[in-house]
Amino acid sequence: MNYNVSELICTRISHDLIGNIGAVANAVELLEEGDMDFLSDIHSILKISSSTLSARLKFFRMAFGVGNANIENIALVNKTINEYLATIGGKNPPLADINFENIKYSKAIMLAVMALGDLLIRGGTIFVVEKNNQVLVGIEKDAKIAEDKLAQTIKVLHQTADNLSAQDVPLLYLLDVCKNNNIKLGGQTSPSLCFVLE
């Protein structure tokens, strides 16, 4: 595969932030115009956009950054994942049920959750469970999944994808993280779709 992961990461992060940055800029412009009729709308825009930007930046810093001690704090990893998921899916974001103890898997879990979140349509639950020296990161079987994105996910994981985009970033980086941290990455589709880390 011919791609530059750093370029794709920059593209993906920029894409995931630009909408809310634009909303903040628009709200500030309305404030500068001094029209108090829109004050409650401006307040709402600023509150939602700033919390979304904060949650996403914290998540991206931990998932894609280096030298971040927070990645070793499992409670903070869980909180950061849940706050990130609350920013996707509009009014019906995915939920997370997270239970793991081995910090070796923290970054891989965050990337797997991000990749699975991209597959979900209208809510759903992502689970993280550690058992028998494995960590399973998956989607509950009753969730609705975008089939075209699932097909691309499988190709990226098998390294057979012809066309890569910024949407594939969590998977591409997950492959690198697993390789560099001696983590075996597998997957299963029954009884639910999930990544297997060991």
Side-chain angles (χ1 to χ4, degrees):
M1 291 186 287
N2 185 17
Y3 61 87
N4 184 318
V5 175
S6 61
E7 288 178 356
L8 292 176
I9 290 173
C10 288
T11 302
R12 174 63 191 263
I13 290 174
S14 299
H15 175 272
D16 286 4
L17 298 179
I18 195 66
N20 286 283
I21 290 172
V24 169
N26 290 339
V28 170
E29 190 175 312
L30 286 171
L31 276 175
E32 289 175 342
E33 290 173 1
D35 190 341
M36 294 298 105
D37 292 340
F38 295 105
L39 195 57
S40 63
D41 293 334
I42 292 168
H43 178 267
S44 177
I45 290 168
L46 289 174
K47 183 176 181 180
I48 292 168
S49 295
S50 63
S51 64
T52 297
L53 287 168
S54 177
R56 289 185 180 181
L57 282 168
K58 286 176 186 175
F59 182 92
F60 295 152
R61 183 169 177 243
M62 288 174 71
F64 296 106
V66 295
N68 189 336
N70 290 333
I71 202 75
E72 297 181 2
N73 182 332
I74 290 176
L76 187 56
V77 169
N78 291 354
K79 181 176 186 284
T80 304
I81 288 172
N82 278 290
E83 288 177 353
Y84 168 76
L85 288 176
T87 72
I88 66 174
K91 293 180 180 178
N92 196 9
L95 303 173
D97 182 8
I98 304 171
N99 185 11
F100 77 102
E101 296 181 357
N102 192 336
I103 60 171
K104 169 185 175 180
Y105 297 109
S106 294
K107 188 179 284 277
I109 288 168
M110 296 186 82
L111 294 165
V113 166
M114 184 178 179
L116 293 174
D118 289 344
L119 299 179
L120 289 169
I121 301 171
R122 292 189 303 276
T125 300
I126 297 173
F127 63 84
V128 178
V129 60
E130 184 175 355
K131 61 180 183 181
N132 301 327
N133 298 316
Q134 293 181 330
V135 175
L136 305 179
V137 185
I139 297 174
E140 295 289 353
K141 60 183 177 182
D142 58 345
K144 188 166 175 56
I145 297 172
E147 294 298 329
D148 57 332
K149 291 182 179 180
L150 176 59
Q152 176 69 1
T153 294
I154 292 168
K155 287 179 182 177
V156 172
L157 288 175
H158 290 140
Q159 301 181 40
T160 59
D162 295 325
N163 299 312
L164 294 168
S165 71
Q167 197 69 23
D168 301 315
V169 158
L171 297 167
L172 295 171
Y173 198 50
L174 175 61
L175 289 168
D176 283 348
V177 165
C178 288
K179 180 180 177 182
N180 293 331
N181 291 280
N182 214 16
I183 297 172
K184 182 181 174 184
L185 173 63
Q188 63 187 44
T189 55
S190 179
S192 60
L193 171 66
C194 73
F195 297 114
V196 181
L197 306 169
E198 56 184 321

